Amino acid sequence: MSISTPIREAAEYINKHLGTVKNPIGIILGTGLGEFASEIEDAVEVPYSQIPHFPQSTVEGHDGKLIHGRLEGQEVLAMKGRFHFYEGYGMEHVVFPIRVMKYLNARFLLLSNASGGVNPDFKVGDIMVIEDHINLFPSNPLIGPNDDEMGPRFPDMSEPYDHKLNAQMHVAASQVGIPLKKGVYVGVSGPCFETPAEYKYIRIIGGDTVGMSTVPENIAARHLGIPVTALSVITDLGIEGHVEEVSHEEVQRAAQEAEPKMAKVVRAFFANLS
Ligand code: HPA
């Protein structure tokens, strides 16, 4: 892959400071899910502020560090804190870490997020495996000149979330007795939460959950040919007739409460991988 100088410099710094990264599973920990990072064994970490060209996260509850270590025998490289479009970053900054992950030879990505449930079968605290997404961001990280060595000008998106990895996630979840939902994640810019009419619209167009991340990262990863699996923790509900007031604090609290469940599923998933 031809690589822009900032991506290469960031990756080289990471390799120097975290010990050689070989073939990790890349993990992005969403809002309220950062505690998971403390489960990583033999962890070596570096704050984003020290990595050349890495954007800095500005949101409360997003710590901003990269952690390299092992979990259930698997090499992992986890991002505690991600970059959101609503923070004012250009899409190229939102997806910068994904491109660094490619340069660091990530075998696949496990993305996680907090989201609002619009499927009436969902409850707060449920975890959904993302099967597909709808991009309602006003942009796309691939707009602009294409680097043909990163990926094609018009990337295929027929399998945005890897069927095999998703199936393995369901197997792992049933082994630990935590049933998972599955469905479509609708990505929006935020930062305001949705109006009742918007939640209704999101349901009508085929969404099961809505959130402010993940979609740009998925698009960048698929452009690079990296397989993706993703988990969405439902932190609030936007169900017609039951739309309640929602705050970032509530989203964080609900995600933190569900985090041990997610950790259990992910551990079982990793333990099953060869
Ligand atoms: N809408 C958008 N993003 C979110 C929500 C929501 O209801 N909950 C958590 N992230």
Side-chain angles (χ1 to χ4, degrees):
M1 172 174 115
S2 86
I3 194 83
S4 74
T5 306
I7 296 171
R8 186 171 39 77
E9 286 178 357
E12 281 168 1
Y13 182 92
I14 291 162
N15 256 329
K16 201 161 107 207
H17 285 77
L18 296 184
T20 302
V21 180
K22 293 199 186 83
N23 187 210
I25 298 168
I27 306 176
I28 297 188
L29 298 169
T31 307
L33 301 169
E35 243 334 277
F36 185 73
S38 61
E39 305 208 11
I40 297 172
E41 296 145 24
D42 307 325
V44 189
E45 49 185 59
V46 61
Y48 297 159
S49 56
Q50 286 179 15
I51 306 173
H53 314 292
F54 233 66
Q56 310 304 319
S57 50
T58 64
V59 195
E60 218 181 299
H62 295 260
D63 234 357
K65 59 186 176 186
L66 201 59
I67 303 133
H68 184 223
R70 304 196 80 78
L71 202 62
E72 298 293 337
Q74 305 294 332
E75 183 193 0
V76 298
L77 183 62
M79 283 182 65
K80 187 174 180 191
R82 59 150 57 91
F83 306 108
H84 300 86
F85 189 65
Y86 63 72
E87 292 175 81
Y89 297 113
M91 278 293 184
E92 73 278 20
H93 295 118
V94 171
V95 303
F96 182 80
I98 305 297
R99 292 176 170 155
V100 172
M101 289 268 190
K102 172 70 182 182
Y103 194 72
L104 291 170
N105 208 22
R107 59 192 269 211
F108 66 84
L109 294 182
L110 167 59
L111 308 179
S112 66
N113 62 49
S115 66
V118 296
N119 180 327
D121 295 336
F122 288 4
K123 299 184 305 298
V124 168
D126 281 350
I127 303 174
M128 182 185 92
V129 178
I130 302 182
E131 295 211 307
D132 202 344
H133 72 226
I134 297 173
N135 181 19
L136 292 188
F137 281 84
S139 190
N140 183 303
L142 307 182
I143 288 174
N146 186 57
D147 179 344
D148 292 335
E149 293 193 35
M150 267 199 206
R153 169 74 290 188
F154 301 106
D156 169 68
M157 288 294 278
S158 60
E159 192 178 336
Y161 300 86
D162 192 87
H163 292 167
K164 199 161 154 233
L165 292 172
N166 278 3
Q168 289 169 342
M169 196 63 82
H170 285 288
V171 168
S174 55
Q175 282 169 345
V176 293
I178 298 171
L180 298 178
K181 306 285 190 197
K182 55 183 174 181
V184 174
Y185 175 91
V186 177
V188 295
S189 72
C192 42
F193 292 108
E194 288 65 38
T195 66
E198 286 166 345
Y199 281 124
K200 183 175 175 182
Y201 165 77
I202 286 160
R203 182 63 184 153
I204 288 170
I205 64 170
D208 295 287
T209 62
V210 54
M212 306 174 195
S213 68
T214 304
V215 168
E217 296 156 1
N218 174 279
I219 292 170
R222 295 307 303 132
H223 179 237
L224 292 157
I226 313 177
V228 178
T229 184
L231 294 174
S232 191
V233 175
I234 286 82
T235 56
D236 54 278
L237 297 174
I239 292 165
E240 209 184 345
H242 305 277
V243 178
E244 285 169 0
E245 208 176 303
V246 56
S247 67
H248 182 59
E249 291 67 34
E250 252 179 83
V251 166
Q252 275 183 290
R253 189 169 358 99
Q256 275 158 11
E257 274 173 30
E259 192 272 338
K261 273 201 311 186
M262 189 190 82
K264 231 169 139 178
V265 173
V266 172
R267 271 186 177 280
F269 170 76
F270 283 177
N272 290 343
L273 293 170
S274 46

